[in-house]
Amino acid sequence: MIHLTRLNGEEFVINCMQIERIESIPESNVILVNGKHYVVQESVDEIIARTVEFNARICASARKMED
């Protein structure tokens, strides 16, 4: 899950595992696999960075569980 901000400043959390694609229009339009979409303030690169960080935390937690 990652935190994003709507254009009106409202923050929300989205399941980044459900992102199908992100378009820059010039705002970022996040389209989910179910067809829903969200226009957000964050740039495409910021959304990607947050998704990579989220996935890294998942991998790190899995490694700790193996020890």
mmCIF file of all heavy atoms in Angstrom, residues 22-49:
data_model
loop_
_atom_site.group_PDB
_atom_site.id
_atom_site.type_symbol
_atom_site.label_atom_id
_atom_site.label_comp_id
_atom_site.label_asym_id
_atom_site.label_seq_id
_atom_site.Cartn_x
_atom_site.Cartn_y
_atom_site.Cartn_z
ATOM 1 N N ILE A 22 0.248 3.842 -15.382
ATOM 2 C CA ILE A 22 0.193 5.237 -14.936
ATOM 3 C C ILE A 22 0.418 6.105 -16.163
ATOM 4 O O ILE A 22 1.375 5.892 -16.905
ATOM 5 C CB ILE A 22 1.275 5.542 -13.877
ATOM 6 C CG1 ILE A 22 1.205 4.542 -12.728
ATOM 7 C CG2 ILE A 22 1.130 6.967 -13.360
ATOM 8 C CD1 ILE A 22 2.409 4.600 -11.808
ATOM 9 N N GLU A 23 -0.484 7.064 -16.357
ATOM 10 C CA GLU A 23 -0.362 7.989 -17.480
ATOM 11 C C GLU A 23 -0.049 9.379 -16.934
ATOM 12 O O GLU A 23 -0.517 9.750 -15.863
ATOM 13 C CB GLU A 23 -1.666 8.029 -18.270
ATOM 14 C CG GLU A 23 -2.063 6.694 -18.853
ATOM 15 C CD GLU A 23 -3.449 6.703 -19.463
ATOM 16 O OE1 GLU A 23 -4.215 7.657 -19.223
ATOM 17 O OE2 GLU A 23 -3.773 5.736 -20.174
ATOM 18 N N SER A 24 0.700 10.147 -17.690
ATOM 19 C CA SER A 24 0.989 11.520 -17.324
ATOM 20 C C SER A 24 0.203 12.426 -18.262
ATOM 21 O O SER A 24 0.410 12.410 -19.480
ATOM 22 C CB SER A 24 2.493 11.782 -17.460
ATOM 23 O OG SER A 24 2.795 13.088 -17.053
ATOM 24 N N ILE A 25 -0.714 13.256 -17.690
ATOM 25 C CA ILE A 25 -1.672 13.986 -18.544
ATOM 26 C C ILE A 25 -1.757 15.492 -18.316
ATOM 27 O O ILE A 25 -2.776 16.049 -18.727
ATOM 28 C CB ILE A 25 -3.061 13.369 -18.394
ATOM 29 C CG1 ILE A 25 -3.529 13.398 -16.946
ATOM 30 C CG2 ILE A 25 -3.144 11.995 -18.990
ATOM 31 C CD1 ILE A 25 -4.935 12.939 -16.697
ATOM 32 N N PRO A 26 -0.996 16.336 -17.760
ATOM 33 C CA PRO A 26 0.315 16.156 -17.150
ATOM 34 C C PRO A 26 0.263 15.646 -15.714
ATOM 35 O O PRO A 26 1.285 15.248 -15.161
ATOM 36 C CB PRO A 26 0.922 17.546 -17.195
ATOM 37 C CG PRO A 26 -0.237 18.461 -17.075
ATOM 38 C CD PRO A 26 -1.362 17.748 -17.798
ATOM 39 N N GLU A 27 -0.920 15.672 -15.053
ATOM 40 C CA GLU A 27 -0.997 15.036 -13.744
ATOM 41 C C GLU A 27 -0.863 13.527 -13.951
ATOM 42 O O GLU A 27 -0.991 13.038 -15.058
ATOM 43 C CB GLU A 27 -2.344 15.330 -13.056
ATOM 44 C CG GLU A 27 -2.638 16.785 -12.824
ATOM 45 C CD GLU A 27 -3.290 17.447 -14.018
ATOM 46 O OE1 GLU A 27 -3.555 16.773 -15.048
ATOM 47 O OE2 GLU A 27 -3.522 18.661 -13.942
ATOM 48 N N SER A 28 -0.627 12.822 -12.872
ATOM 49 C CA SER A 28 -0.516 11.366 -12.983
ATOM 50 C C SER A 28 -1.896 10.748 -12.842
ATOM 51 O O SER A 28 -2.624 11.021 -11.892
ATOM 52 C CB SER A 28 0.419 10.824 -11.906
ATOM 53 O OG SER A 28 1.714 11.325 -12.105
ATOM 54 N N ASN A 29 -2.255 9.916 -13.793
ATOM 55 C CA ASN A 29 -3.510 9.181 -13.787
ATOM 56 C C ASN A 29 -3.167 7.720 -13.533
ATOM 57 O O ASN A 29 -2.577 7.058 -14.385
ATOM 58 C CB ASN A 29 -4.229 9.359 -15.122
ATOM 59 C CG ASN A 29 -5.618 8.763 -15.133
ATOM 60 O OD1 ASN A 29 -6.228 8.571 -14.099
ATOM 61 N ND2 ASN A 29 -6.114 8.465 -16.317
ATOM 62 N N VAL A 30 -3.539 7.224 -12.357
ATOM 63 C CA VAL A 30 -3.242 5.849 -11.962
ATOM 64 C C VAL A 30 -4.438 4.990 -12.322
ATOM 65 O O VAL A 30 -5.545 5.206 -11.818
ATOM 66 C CB VAL A 30 -2.955 5.768 -10.443
ATOM 67 C CG1 VAL A 30 -2.651 4.339 -10.021
ATOM 68 C CG2 VAL A 30 -1.824 6.711 -10.054
ATOM 69 N N ILE A 31 -4.218 4.016 -13.195
ATOM 70 C CA ILE A 31 -5.296 3.128 -13.633
ATOM 71 C C ILE A 31 -5.057 1.749 -13.019
ATOM 72 O O ILE A 31 -3.976 1.172 -13.154
ATOM 73 C CB ILE A 31 -5.369 3.024 -15.174
ATOM 74 C CG1 ILE A 31 -5.656 4.392 -15.785
ATOM 75 C CG2 ILE A 31 -6.449 2.040 -15.594
ATOM 76 C CD1 ILE A 31 -4.475 5.054 -16.371
ATOM 77 N N LEU A 32 -6.084 1.250 -12.345
ATOM 78 C CA LEU A 32 -5.994 -0.056 -11.696
ATOM 79 C C LEU A 32 -6.467 -1.157 -12.641
ATOM 80 O O LEU A 32 -7.121 -0.892 -13.657
ATOM 81 C CB LEU A 32 -6.844 -0.068 -10.427
ATOM 82 C CG LEU A 32 -6.542 1.015 -9.399
ATOM 83 C CD1 LEU A 32 -7.429 0.835 -8.165
ATOM 84 C CD2 LEU A 32 -5.076 1.014 -9.005
ATOM 85 N N VAL A 33 -6.168 -2.393 -12.281
ATOM 86 C CA VAL A 33 -6.555 -3.529 -13.123
ATOM 87 C C VAL A 33 -8.072 -3.671 -13.244
ATOM 88 O O VAL A 33 -8.563 -4.237 -14.221
ATOM 89 C CB VAL A 33 -5.923 -4.856 -12.628
ATOM 90 C CG1 VAL A 33 -4.420 -4.822 -12.774
ATOM 91 C CG2 VAL A 33 -6.321 -5.160 -11.201
ATOM 92 N N ASN A 34 -8.837 -3.131 -12.275
ATOM 93 C CA ASN A 34 -10.298 -3.219 -12.345
ATOM 94 C C ASN A 34 -10.912 -2.072 -13.144
ATOM 95 O O ASN A 34 -12.133 -1.967 -13.240
ATOM 96 C CB ASN A 34 -10.906 -3.274 -10.946
ATOM 97 C CG ASN A 34 -10.708 -1.994 -10.155
ATOM 98 O OD1 ASN A 34 -10.172 -0.999 -10.651
ATOM 99 N ND2 ASN A 34 -11.120 -2.018 -8.898
ATOM 100 N N GLY A 35 -10.068 -1.197 -13.715
ATOM 101 C CA GLY A 35 -10.550 -0.104 -14.548
ATOM 102 C C GLY A 35 -10.727 1.218 -13.823
ATOM 103 O O GLY A 35 -10.873 2.255 -14.455
ATOM 104 N N LYS A 36 -10.755 1.188 -12.486
ATOM 105 C CA LYS A 36 -10.868 2.451 -11.739
ATOM 106 C C LYS A 36 -9.604 3.267 -11.961
ATOM 107 O O LYS A 36 -8.534 2.713 -12.196
ATOM 108 C CB LYS A 36 -11.050 2.185 -10.245
ATOM 109 C CG LYS A 36 -12.407 1.619 -9.888
ATOM 110 C CD LYS A 36 -12.600 1.578 -8.397
ATOM 111 C CE LYS A 36 -13.013 2.975 -7.968
ATOM 112 N NZ LYS A 36 -13.536 3.010 -6.597
ATOM 113 N N HIS A 37 -9.744 4.580 -11.874
ATOM 114 C CA HIS A 37 -8.558 5.416 -12.041
ATOM 115 C C HIS A 37 -8.588 6.574 -11.053
ATOM 116 O O HIS A 37 -9.650 6.984 -10.576
ATOM 117 C CB HIS A 37 -8.432 5.927 -13.480
ATOM 118 C CG HIS A 37 -9.497 6.893 -13.862
ATOM 119 N ND1 HIS A 37 -9.325 8.250 -13.789
ATOM 120 C CD2 HIS A 37 -10.749 6.689 -14.312
ATOM 121 C CE1 HIS A 37 -10.424 8.846 -14.184
ATOM 122 N NE2 HIS A 37 -11.318 7.911 -14.509
ATOM 123 N N TYR A 38 -7.415 7.080 -10.726
ATOM 124 C CA TYR A 38 -7.243 8.166 -9.775
ATOM 125 C C TYR A 38 -6.247 9.160 -10.354
ATOM 126 O O TYR A 38 -5.150 8.777 -10.761
ATOM 127 C CB TYR A 38 -6.707 7.643 -8.439
ATOM 128 C CG TYR A 38 -7.620 6.620 -7.802
ATOM 129 C CD1 TYR A 38 -7.457 5.266 -8.058
ATOM 130 C CD2 TYR A 38 -8.645 7.011 -6.962
ATOM 131 C CE1 TYR A 38 -8.298 4.323 -7.484
ATOM 132 C CE2 TYR A 38 -9.497 6.074 -6.380
ATOM 133 C CZ TYR A 38 -9.312 4.736 -6.653
ATOM 134 O OH TYR A 38 -10.147 3.802 -6.083
ATOM 135 N N VAL A 39 -6.624 10.435 -10.388
ATOM 136 C CA VAL A 39 -5.712 11.490 -10.808
ATOM 137 C C VAL A 39 -5.078 12.040 -9.538
ATOM 138 O O VAL A 39 -5.782 12.445 -8.603
ATOM 139 C CB VAL A 39 -6.454 12.592 -11.591
ATOM 140 C CG1 VAL A 39 -5.487 13.684 -12.019
ATOM 141 C CG2 VAL A 39 -7.149 12.000 -12.808
ATOM 142 N N VAL A 40 -3.743 12.018 -9.498
ATOM 143 C CA VAL A 40 -3.030 12.370 -8.268
ATOM 144 C C VAL A 40 -1.948 13.420 -8.520
ATOM 145 O O VAL A 40 -1.533 13.644 -9.657
ATOM 146 C CB VAL A 40 -2.404 11.118 -7.624
ATOM 147 C CG1 VAL A 40 -3.480 10.109 -7.226
ATOM 148 C CG2 VAL A 40 -1.392 10.458 -8.550
ATOM 149 N N GLN A 41 -1.502 14.033 -7.433
ATOM 150 C CA GLN A 41 -0.479 15.075 -7.492
ATOM 151 C C GLN A 41 0.920 14.522 -7.743
ATOM 152 O O GLN A 41 1.752 15.192 -8.353
ATOM 153 C CB GLN A 41 -0.456 15.878 -6.191
ATOM 154 C CG GLN A 41 -1.701 16.678 -5.945
ATOM 155 C CD GLN A 41 -1.641 17.438 -4.635
ATOM 156 O OE1 GLN A 41 -0.617 17.475 -3.951
ATOM 157 N NE2 GLN A 41 -2.752 18.053 -4.263
ATOM 158 N N GLU A 42 1.205 13.328 -7.261
ATOM 159 C CA GLU A 42 2.542 12.755 -7.366
ATOM 160 C C GLU A 42 2.912 12.488 -8.817
ATOM 161 O O GLU A 42 2.068 12.138 -9.632
ATOM 162 C CB GLU A 42 2.641 11.451 -6.556
ATOM 163 C CG GLU A 42 2.612 11.637 -5.058
ATOM 164 C CD GLU A 42 1.219 11.877 -4.489
ATOM 165 O OE1 GLU A 42 0.230 11.721 -5.231
ATOM 166 O OE2 GLU A 42 1.113 12.212 -3.310
ATOM 167 N N SER A 43 4.193 12.629 -9.110
ATOM 168 C CA SER A 43 4.681 12.346 -10.462
ATOM 169 C C SER A 43 4.741 10.832 -10.687
ATOM 170 O O SER A 43 4.710 10.040 -9.732
ATOM 171 C CB SER A 43 6.083 12.931 -10.653
ATOM 172 O OG SER A 43 7.017 12.218 -9.855
ATOM 173 N N VAL A 44 4.831 10.453 -11.945
ATOM 174 C CA VAL A 44 4.974 9.039 -12.291
ATOM 175 C C VAL A 44 6.206 8.460 -11.585
ATOM 176 O O VAL A 44 6.134 7.373 -10.989
ATOM 177 C CB VAL A 44 5.073 8.862 -13.822
ATOM 178 C CG1 VAL A 44 5.425 7.422 -14.178
ATOM 179 C CG2 VAL A 44 3.776 9.276 -14.502
ATOM 180 N N ASP A 45 7.320 9.184 -11.609
ATOM 181 C CA ASP A 45 8.545 8.693 -10.976
ATOM 182 C C ASP A 45 8.378 8.512 -9.473
ATOM 183 O O ASP A 45 8.896 7.550 -8.893
ATOM 184 C CB ASP A 45 9.718 9.637 -11.258
ATOM 185 C CG ASP A 45 10.172 9.581 -12.710
ATOM 186 O OD1 ASP A 45 9.914 8.559 -13.380
ATOM 187 O OD2 ASP A 45 10.784 10.559 -13.171
ATOM 188 N N GLU A 46 7.639 9.411 -8.813
ATOM 189 C CA GLU A 46 7.407 9.293 -7.369
ATOM 190 C C GLU A 46 6.540 8.078 -7.064
ATOM 191 O O GLU A 46 6.796 7.350 -6.103
ATOM 192 C CB GLU A 46 6.755 10.556 -6.816
ATOM 193 C CG GLU A 46 6.498 10.513 -5.329
ATOM 194 C CD GLU A 46 7.748 10.370 -4.477
ATOM 195 O OE1 GLU A 46 8.825 10.846 -4.893
ATOM 196 O OE2 GLU A 46 7.658 9.782 -3.386
ATOM 197 N N ILE A 47 5.535 7.831 -7.869
ATOM 198 C CA ILE A 47 4.681 6.655 -7.660
ATOM 199 C C ILE A 47 5.490 5.381 -7.842
ATOM 200 O O ILE A 47 5.377 4.434 -7.051
ATOM 201 C CB ILE A 47 3.470 6.686 -8.616
ATOM 202 C CG1 ILE A 47 2.608 7.914 -8.314
ATOM 203 C CG2 ILE A 47 2.652 5.400 -8.497
ATOM 204 C CD1 ILE A 47 1.569 8.208 -9.384
ATOM 205 N N ILE A 48 6.337 5.353 -8.852
ATOM 206 C CA ILE A 48 7.201 4.189 -9.073
ATOM 207 C C ILE A 48 8.137 4.004 -7.888
ATOM 208 O O ILE A 48 8.300 2.888 -7.385
ATOM 209 C CB ILE A 48 7.990 4.331 -10.387
ATOM 210 C CG1 ILE A 48 7.029 4.236 -11.572
ATOM 211 C CG2 ILE A 48 9.091 3.272 -10.487
ATOM 212 C CD1 ILE A 48 7.640 4.621 -12.902
ATOM 213 N N ALA A 49 8.749 5.080 -7.401
ATOM 214 C CA ALA A 49 9.669 4.988 -6.257
ATOM 215 C C ALA A 49 8.955 4.461 -5.016
ATOM 216 O O ALA A 49 9.502 3.621 -4.286
ATOM 217 C CB ALA A 49 10.298 6.354 -5.976
#
